[in-house]
Amino acid sequence: RLKPGGIRELHWHALAAEWAYMLDGRCRATVISPNGQSEISEFGPGDTWYFPRGHGHALQGLGPGECHFLLGFDNGHFSEYGTFSITDWIANTPPEILGKTLGLPPSAFASFPKKEMYICPGKVPETPVEALRDALLQPSQGSHKYRLDMQPPRVFPGGREYLVSSKEFPIQTTLTAVKMQLEPGAVRE
């Protein structure tokens, strides 16, 4: 969960890809691919994201209430010990090296955190990401976003099934996810 404005700082997973399903609220994800390309997307209920291993990403709650999402990882050995956070790097790198790397004077880092922030408070962004001209259109499937609840479900006598795999969402190469809605008394055999 993220409160409005709350930020899960920029981080990378060395051991696993990250998948999520938005349950409630809205959030913004900024993703940086290993080749340096970046993408900013906004997510709402029914949307999923997939960040391949090594893709840096940051999340921010957009309000008005908390955003709530379900996370999954494609490696059973995943832990936070395989996650690299930007504030952890900054806190453990000499200011002279940070200055040369980022093109800033070493003094610019004096007020930076001295330890990993993980999740920190922030302000809700004032400007939204430019909306698609047709909100019903699926964004590029090269994107890190898939609108699972916007696809037509497979309908059965006892319910509905929404499936997303690499066929529907090519960047999602290591996981398949299914959302099932069962009618009262229905059974998934």
Side-chain angles (χ1 to χ4, degrees), residues 89-107:
W89 174 67
I90 290 173
N92 290 290
T93 303
E96 301 75 33
I97 293 174
L98 291 171
K100 287 180 183 177
T101 303
L102 300 173
L104 297 169
S107 61

Side-chain angles (χ1 to χ4, degrees), residues 21-33:
Y21 176 76
M22 287 292 297
L23 297 167
D24 194 30
R26 297 180 319 120
C27 80
R28 178 178 290 176
T30 302
V31 185
I32 302 171
S33 301

Side-chain angles (χ1 to χ4, degrees), residues 22-139:
M22 287 292 297
L23 297 167
D24 194 30
R26 297 180 319 120
C27 80
R28 178 178 290 176
T30 302
V31 185
I32 302 171
S33 301
N35 68 3
Q37 290 179 315
S38 64
E39 175 186 347
I40 299 173
S41 297
E42 291 185 3
F43 295 82
D47 293 339
T48 66
W49 67 66
Y50 182 85
F51 307 137
R53 183 173 52 117
H55 282 61
H57 52 284
L59 304 169
Q60 184 169 27
L62 296 177
E66 281 189 336
C67 68
H68 186 194
F69 43 88
L70 175 69
L71 289 176
F73 299 91
D74 68 348
N75 184 329
H77 296 288
F78 170 79
S79 78
E80 283 303 310
Y81 296 110
T83 299
F84 180 69
S85 297
I86 193 71
T87 56
D88 198 28
W89 174 67
I90 290 173
N92 290 290
T93 303
E96 301 75 33
I97 293 174
L98 291 171
K100 287 180 183 177
T101 303
L102 300 173
L104 297 169
S107 61
F109 303 98
S111 63
F112 273 61
K114 304 301 182 218
K115 62 179 185 166
E116 180 183 39
M117 294 294 295
Y118 196 77
I119 296 176
C120 56
K123 293 182 180 179
V124 174
E126 291 182 21
T127 55
V129 173
E130 184 179 342
L132 296 171
R133 290 186 182 154
D134 182 346
L136 297 177
L137 288 176
Q138 190 71 259

